[in-house]
Amino acid sequence: MVDTLVIACGLAVALVSVIAGSRTMLRCLLDSAALSRWVSENSVPPCERLSRIARAVAGDIQVAQIDVAHAVAVTHRALRPRIAISSLLVARTSDAELAAVLRHEVHHARRRHPLGRLAAELASSALWFLPALRTVGRHAAVRQELSADRAALSHAAPSTLAGALVKALAEPEVAAAGTLMGDTTTLEARVHQLEHGPKPSARALRCRSLRRAVLLLCTVCGLLVYGTVAAAGRGLFTPLF
């Protein structure tokens, strides 16, 4: 009776996880396709200034210029990341600021951060019984932005990157679609890093929510393994008696 209950619970959890993960995967694919289509529809031939700085900074990563009404920069596509930067942001920034923006985005592209965010979303959806994973995913997204800023700061002064950030944030009504901006928590962390330097890396297992997530994950995995072994053992030995 206990084995049957464990197996039934395990199958129910697995079914819900597959459904949740599939829905998230479909939504992410549609969002990614929509963003790529938006970039393609608004693309214009890059100006000479952007092309020159992109050749020096981005290397083999494709940089597109888009003609939209907002100052944005975005890294899109999970498998082969590309960078798009708006004409308005190009016009607002100096050469040094534009190079800092591109280095920030290049870091996202080279580290496959869009793919990492997709994986984090899939994990938090498929493992819906571990709500702490969403907190961990948000923390990882902030760390991505901070690491991209540090990559830019390795070639630019903090005032240069701060100037680009201020010019991008000159329109507060713009949604945080580009990695140059971000939500309030991310923005506060980025400003703090610009003002005070990077914080020492915290030890992951000191995070209470992560400890709880690991403990619960181990418990659930243990129950699933137990149920699988019990089911296999029953199927193997029951006919002998």
Side-chain angles (χ1 to χ4, degrees):
M1 180 63 183
V2 175
D3 291 345
T4 302
L5 181 60
V6 170
I7 294 171
C9 291
L11 290 175
V13 170
L15 179 61
V16 174
S17 296
V18 169
I19 293 174
S22 300
R23 289 183 59 185
T24 299
M25 172 65 83
L26 179 60
R27 176 177 56 79
C28 289
L29 290 176
L30 292 176
D31 289 346
S32 178
L35 179 57
S36 295
R37 185 167 57 252
W38 177 75
V39 170
S40 178
E41 291 173 350
N42 293 281
S43 293
V44 295
C47 64
E48 187 279 331
R49 178 166 164 263
L50 176 60
S51 297
R52 171 173 50 83
I53 296 176
R55 283 195 300 270
V57 172
D60 58 344
I61 297 176
Q62 182 175 335
V63 178
Q65 183 172 336
I66 53 176
D67 189 13
V68 295
H70 310 303
V72 295
V74 60
T75 300
H76 63 108
R77 295 193 177 187
L79 298 180
R80 298 182 64 184
R82 297 181 180 181
I83 298 169
I85 183 166
S86 69
S87 300
L88 184 57
L89 186 58
V90 173
R92 283 181 177 177
T93 52
S94 64
D95 284 3
E97 291 169 343
L98 183 57
V101 171
L102 285 174
R103 285 193 173 94
H104 177 103
E105 300 301 329
V106 165
H107 183 82
H108 282 309
R110 294 204 185 282
R111 294 298 179 90
R112 299 291 194 274
H113 284 172
L115 181 61
R117 293 186 183 185
L118 173 61
E121 283 200 48
L122 288 176
S124 62
S125 295
L127 301 178
W128 51 271
F129 45 84
L130 299 176
L133 284 182
R134 294 194 179 276
T135 302
V136 175
R138 287 192 295 268
H139 176 74
V142 174
R143 301 296 296 179
Q144 286 180 354
E145 293 301 317
L146 295 178
S147 67
D149 277 353
R150 289 194 295 273
L153 290 171
S154 65
H155 295 83
S159 58
T160 301
L161 184 58
L165 188 61
V166 168
K167 291 171 182 177
L169 292 172
E171 302 171 48
E173 73 278 3
V174 178
T179 54
L180 183 63
M181 292 185 260
D183 58 22
T184 302
T185 301
T186 303
L187 181 59
E188 289 176 353
R190 296 179 67 183
V191 171
H192 184 278
Q193 179 172 261
L194 287 172
E195 292 178 344
H196 305 288
K199 290 182 178 181
S201 299
R203 294 184 179 179
L205 291 180
R206 287 183 179 176
C207 176
R208 181 179 300 177
S209 59
L210 182 58
R211 289 201 304 268
R212 290 176 177 174
V214 171
L215 179 60
L216 186 53
L217 178 61
C218 292
T219 302
V220 173
C221 289
L223 290 174
L224 292 176
V225 170
Y226 171 77
T228 302
V229 173
R234 176 174 294 182
L236 183 62
F237 296 114
T238 298
L240 301 178
F241 296 94

